[in-house]
Amino acid sequence: IRSPGFECPHLDCKEEITDGLPFDTDESKCPHCNKIIFLSDMIGFHLDMNEDNAPDAVASKYMLIMEHLMLFSAIRILWDFTDKTLISETLFIKDGPLSLSSQYSKLVPNIRLFLEYTKKENRPLYILGQEKSGTFVDHLSTIARFASPLTKEEPLNYSVLSHEYVHKEVYRTPNLKTPYGKRTNWGEKLYVKADPSTYFVLNIPVGLYNNDQKSPSAKDLIGLERILATLPSLISYKFECGLYPIELANGIASMSSYPSAKILERFISR
């Protein structure tokens, strides 16, 4: 097992290292220039650190990578825990979509393979991502008032978005031949309406990607029933369409609460 392939970061080389790095290796040598390369070079963060990129974009990309690393660090610890059932009794929640763009998308196939492996091992991972802004949130806000529940007595309602629906109704690009989210998303989209005024854009993984434009279906989303059964107990009404775990994490880990925020602010201003 090796890491995904990547381009050598050394300016006098830039050759493609197609075989990546060996399993459980932090550093190695480029087969072309024989210079030291690191596992962090595989992620490609250095590609964003050039004069043409805005400093705040570099900071946001760094945050994106760190969020994924922290999420999967917790998953790795529980996967190797002595109680093998614990990982499937835990709901992992990410603030933001389950996706990686640009050079970071090379990690998506491996994430999908791992999620598929957890299903085969009968140790499924329950992961939930919430989008609080963007195209899907804007789209849901225009149609949510027409969907049930329309009264507090009605039960929670949800809709899993097929790739075809996303192309036709959300992005309004029905003739695109590129499968939606195949390279960038490791979670599929669904709309959830909990009560007349509370609705969410959520992401839940499926494992391997299905090219069928009618997919995914509800049965494809890993742990959908258990996640939806848990969701009502997580809803916070302090902020619009908020979830307690994300709200609490943002309150504790907000950069504005720490002295390092000033350092980051000066870094971005440069």
Side-chain angles (χ1 to χ4, degrees):
I1 299 175
R2 302 179 70 92
S3 77
F6 61 100
E7 186 182 273
C8 177
H10 296 287
L11 296 177
D12 56 349
C13 181
K14 293 290 185 180
E15 294 291 333
E16 189 71 20
I17 305 171
T18 55
D19 291 336
L21 291 176
F23 172 72
D24 207 21
T25 300
D26 291 331
E27 64 180 66
S28 184
K29 287 189 176 181
C30 173
H32 306 287
C33 65
N34 208 38
K35 292 182 179 178
I36 295 291
I37 52 175
F38 299 95
L39 185 59
S40 56
D41 296 326
M42 179 274 296
I43 297 175
F45 182 61
H46 62 280
L47 298 176
D48 279 320
M49 300 182 68
N50 58 61
E51 294 179 356
D52 297 329
N53 287 354
D56 55 343
V58 178
S60 64
K61 292 291 187 182
Y62 179 77
M63 291 286 287
L64 174 68
I65 291 300
M66 289 305 300
E67 286 170 357
H68 277 76
L69 289 176
M70 291 175 70
L71 173 64
F72 281 96
S73 292
I75 290 172
R76 178 182 59 81
I77 291 169
L78 284 185
W79 184 263
D80 294 328
F81 196 66
T82 51
D83 183 354
K84 299 301 181 183
T85 64
L86 184 60
I87 195 163
S88 295
E89 296 298 327
T90 304
L91 176 59
F92 298 92
I93 301 177
K94 180 183 178 296
D95 184 5
L98 304 184
S99 65
L100 287 162
S101 59
S102 62
Q103 69 265 27
Y104 309 111
S105 65
K106 66 168 73 77
L107 299 175
V108 170
N110 289 44
I111 294 174
R112 285 187 174 274
L113 282 171
F114 174 63
L115 291 168
E116 189 69 21
Y117 173 74
T118 65
K119 292 194 295 183
K120 292 179 180 178
E121 289 290 302
N122 200 27
R123 298 177 66 193
L125 290 179
Y126 302 129
I127 304 176
L128 176 69
Q130 184 194 9
E131 299 184 38
K132 293 181 290 187
S133 61
T135 303
F136 288 91
V137 175
D138 294 341
H139 180 259
L140 178 56
S141 66
T142 64
I143 62 175
R145 65 182 183 275
F146 303 111
S148 60
L150 299 176
T151 65
K152 291 188 176 181
E153 289 72 32
E154 294 180 77
L156 174 148
N157 191 18
Y158 71 92
S159 177
V160 178
L161 308 190
S162 68
H163 303 152
E164 182 180 52
Y165 181 88
V166 172
H167 276 311
K168 289 184 176 180
E169 303 298 333
V170 181
Y171 286 118
R172 303 295 179 118
T173 52
N175 297 321
L176 281 182
K177 295 182 179 180
T178 306
Y180 169 73
K182 184 174 184 178
R183 293 184 63 249
T184 58
N185 295 353
W186 55 276
E188 300 288 356
K189 314 284 185 180
L190 71 154
Y191 291 161
V192 176
K193 189 174 180 183
D195 60 46
S197 59
T198 306
Y199 49 85
F200 306 94
V201 177
L202 303 179
N203 293 193
I204 297 178
V206 297
L208 295 180
Y209 187 86
N210 188 338
N211 287 303
D212 186 353
Q213 287 298 295
K214 301 293 185 182
S215 69
S217 62
K219 63 181 178 60
D220 296 325
L221 273 62
I222 301 173
L224 176 61
E225 290 186 6
R226 293 188 67 181
I227 291 173
L228 291 180
T230 305
L231 191 64
S233 64
L234 302 178
I235 296 174
S236 167
Y237 294 97
K238 183 176 180 180
F239 299 102
E240 184 180 10
C241 304
L243 295 177
Y244 276 123
I246 293 177
E247 178 186 311
L248 292 172
N250 286 339
I252 295 171
S254 174
M255 286 295 292
S256 61
S257 303
Y258 293 89
S260 56
K262 284 295 181 184
I263 299 173
L264 183 61
E265 183 181 325
R266 291 175 183 175
F267 171 75
I268 291 174
S269 65
R270 284 185 169 183

